[in-house]
Amino acid sequence: MSEEVIIVRESENLTGTVRVSGAKNSALKLIAASLLGQGESTIHNVPLISDIVIMSEVLETLGASVHREGHVLTIDTSTVDSYETPYELVSKMRASISVLGPLIGRFGRAHVAMPGGCQIGARKIDMHLVGLEQLGVHFEVEHGYLVATTPEGLHGGSIVLDFPSVGATENAMMAAVVAEGETTIDNAACEPEIEDLANMLNAMGAKVSGAGTSVITITGVPLSSMHPCEHTTVGDRIEAGTFLVGGALMGGPLTVEGIDPSFLRMAIMKLRAMGCTVETAEDSITISRTQPLRSVDIQTLPHPGFPTDLQAQFMLLAALAEGNSVITENVFENRFMFASELSRMGADVVIDDHHALVHGVKGLQGAPVVSTDLRAGGALVLAGLIAEGETIVRKISHIDRGYEDYVGKLSSLGARVERTTIEEL
């Protein structure tokens, strides 16, 4: 199969209105949660991205029926009769580990292959296991598979996470909703996607409170009282942030619709600090810039801190800002791989352990670059819009994992960007 690439040419501006898709990091977990409904659930606003295809295939291998019509996914889990997920699928996408909690909740056991996905750090799953162990789950590793059993049944427990891991919080929630008794998750992740998952679980009959705060309380209900539901996925804050960075980079004005501005408070604060005008409404954000970009210091932290998934995009802004910026990565240790690709385009970035020292330059030049992970790929395409000449972005399968019709949406805003194959260059 011929390799697809994205060709980006220097563009005049990004302006207009774009609607973001449903949140990738929410929809994947909502699909997993449907296992607990034991019937036909309908999820709206599901993005058309490759990660959703893989997660749908994971459920189908377990025995579910998954039907897609546009952005609506109908999942019938009444026929699920397996608790083993194959390596071929799980190795493609780390989020497949999200079926661990609901499988344990439904069957009291699970065999899940060790996960794969973006190569942006160790991203150990130890916290997932420690949390579930507090609920009576026993783990062993056999031939590359996590084998989970519940010798004495699932019971409530007190979980304290070392770090507010999104995945560990979600897996613990999805098992605890059908555990006997009460569970508390301390130092829980506070991301909007956690709240979205809790809302769907509650619509299925669960009793979850405190989602979106650092302490989540779950009162277990019998599995038999869980039922299917209809739910709409929240807007994707990272996709929204990526387009806002595009508007900041090129000048705008650019309006992003389908997003709750409160999801991006820290990013909006940093955009304003860099000299952008940002206006918010109930379901949209508009950005414009008429003055030079100013340098800024950023530290990635769990929500409500600055999201690691926007670090690469903001490094691009910092690379063209006046003065020096310091970006500190506290979440994923290998996420600075993007810096070397940006440097190929003329950026001045020095990596010192988990700090990136970014000295602003006057401009970038088009170059052949490689998408090292999902968010780096999105940022490299934006870099090509302002770079002199032509930029060719390779390994765009990373981009397809999380951005629905990225090229189409950018083109609608005035970007000179197209998908083609290596052979057609």
Side-chain angles (χ1 to χ4, degrees):
M1 221 167 74
S2 55
E3 183 194 351
E4 278 196 295
V5 296
I6 294 177
I7 299 178
V8 195
R9 296 178 178 88
E10 188 175 3
S11 303
E12 289 184 14
N13 197 3
L14 279 184
T15 185
T17 300
V18 64
R19 186 163 193 86
V20 298
S21 303
K24 165 185 113 80
N25 290 334
S26 197
L28 291 170
K29 319 306 168 63
L30 301 176
I31 294 170
S34 70
L35 287 164
L36 294 165
Q38 309 168 93
E40 189 175 280
S41 291
T42 302
I43 308 174
H44 297 268
N45 199 29
V46 178
L48 290 158
I49 54 175
S50 60
D51 270 12
I52 295 294
V53 174
I54 295 171
M55 186 60 100
S56 298
E57 289 175 2
V58 169
L59 260 69
E60 286 173 337
T61 64
L62 297 171
S65 167
V66 183
H67 175 70
R68 169 155 218 154
E69 193 165 323
H71 293 98
V72 181
L73 214 58
T74 304
I75 310 166
D76 187 348
T77 62
S78 61
T79 51
V80 169
D81 57 1
S82 171
Y83 48 80
E84 182 170 320
T85 60
Y87 174 74
E88 307 84 71
L89 289 175
V90 179
S91 62
K92 290 180 184 177
M93 185 183 67
R94 186 179 177 80
S96 307
I97 196 71
S98 304
V99 298
L100 184 61
L103 283 178
I104 292 168
R106 179 154 176 177
F107 294 106
R109 57 197 304 120
H111 293 185
V112 178
M114 300 292 273
C118 280
Q119 299 303 307
I120 52 172
R123 306 178 77 173
K124 294 176 181 175
I125 59 169
D126 296 2
M127 276 183 287
H128 295 245
L129 311 190
V130 169
L132 290 166
E133 283 171 346
Q134 296 301 310
L135 306 178
V137 184
H138 174 73
F139 288 100
E140 290 182 10
V141 177
E142 295 177 7
H143 307 291
Y145 278 77
L146 273 173
V147 177
T149 54
T150 51
E152 296 173 18
L154 269 179
H155 56 74
S158 176
I159 299 170
V160 182
L161 297 177
D162 285 348
F163 178 86
S165 159
V166 173
T169 302
E170 290 165 335
N171 258 326
M173 281 171 60
M174 287 188 279
V177 291
V178 291
E180 189 177 342
E182 187 173 280
T183 298
T184 56
I185 308 173
D186 277 293
N187 200 25
C190 301
E191 274 73 2
E193 295 81 13
I194 298 284
E195 202 168 347
D196 199 26
L197 174 60
N199 288 340
M200 177 164 164
L201 289 169
N202 286 340
M204 296 166 78
K207 295 179 180 177
V208 183
S209 60
T213 74
S214 60
V215 181
I216 298 175
T217 304
I218 301 155
T219 303
V221 301
L223 178 64
S224 59
S225 68
M226 294 290 284
H227 52 77
C229 75
E230 192 162 348
H231 182 82
T232 299
T233 315
V234 295
D236 195 314
R237 62 196 170 97
I238 305 303
E239 184 190 7
T242 301
F243 282 114
L244 291 172
V245 166
L249 187 71
M250 307 296 287
L254 187 154
T255 298
V256 179
E257 292 182 339
I259 189 67
D260 182 339
S262 69
F263 292 180
L264 285 165
R265 282 193 298 261
M266 184 63 73
I268 289 170
M269 190 176 87
K270 294 297 181 182
L271 287 166
R272 286 173 173 153
M274 296 186 85
C276 301
T277 299
V278 184
E279 296 169 0
T280 61
E282 186 180 348
D283 191 47
S284 67
I285 307 169
T286 300
I287 190 164
S288 58
R289 179 177 62 84
T290 55
Q291 55 184 294
L293 283 165
R294 296 196 293 263
S295 59
V296 70
D297 290 346
I298 287 171
Q299 286 199 57
T300 67
L301 288 167
H303 193 78
F306 189 90
T308 182
D309 279 355
L310 287 177
Q311 182 254 99
Q313 299 89 316
F314 273 74
M315 183 184 288
L316 167 60
L317 289 181
L320 290 160
E322 293 182 341
N324 299 316
S325 301
V326 179
I327 299 177
T328 303
E329 177 55 65
N330 294 310
V331 181
F332 291 139
E333 65 269 28
N334 288 347
R335 204 151 215 170
F336 284 148
M337 290 190 293
F338 167 73
S340 60
E341 295 302 307
L342 193 60
S343 296
R344 288 173 56 78
M345 301 178 72
D348 184 353
V349 184
V350 177
I351 304 299
D352 180 12
D353 192 30
H354 65 297
H355 305 287
L357 314 176
V358 188
H359 177 69
V361 296
K362 295 293 184 187
L364 300 175
Q365 298 86 45
V369 290
V370 176
S371 187
T372 53
D373 64 69
L374 164 56
R375 305 307 171 185
L380 286 168
V381 173
L382 294 182
L385 297 177
I386 204 161
E388 181 186 344
E390 183 178 276
T391 297
I392 299 173
V393 183
R394 300 186 68 163
K395 289 200 176 176
I396 63 171
S397 58
H398 283 302
I399 297 171
D400 293 337
R401 285 189 49 233
Y403 291 103
E404 177 182 330
D405 191 22
Y406 193 43
V407 165
K409 288 182 179 181
L410 286 171
S411 296
S412 74
L413 298 169
R416 298 174 64 205
V417 56
E418 63 176 308
R419 285 179 79 119
T420 186
T421 62
I422 288 286
E423 287 76 12
E424 291 174 359
L425 286 178

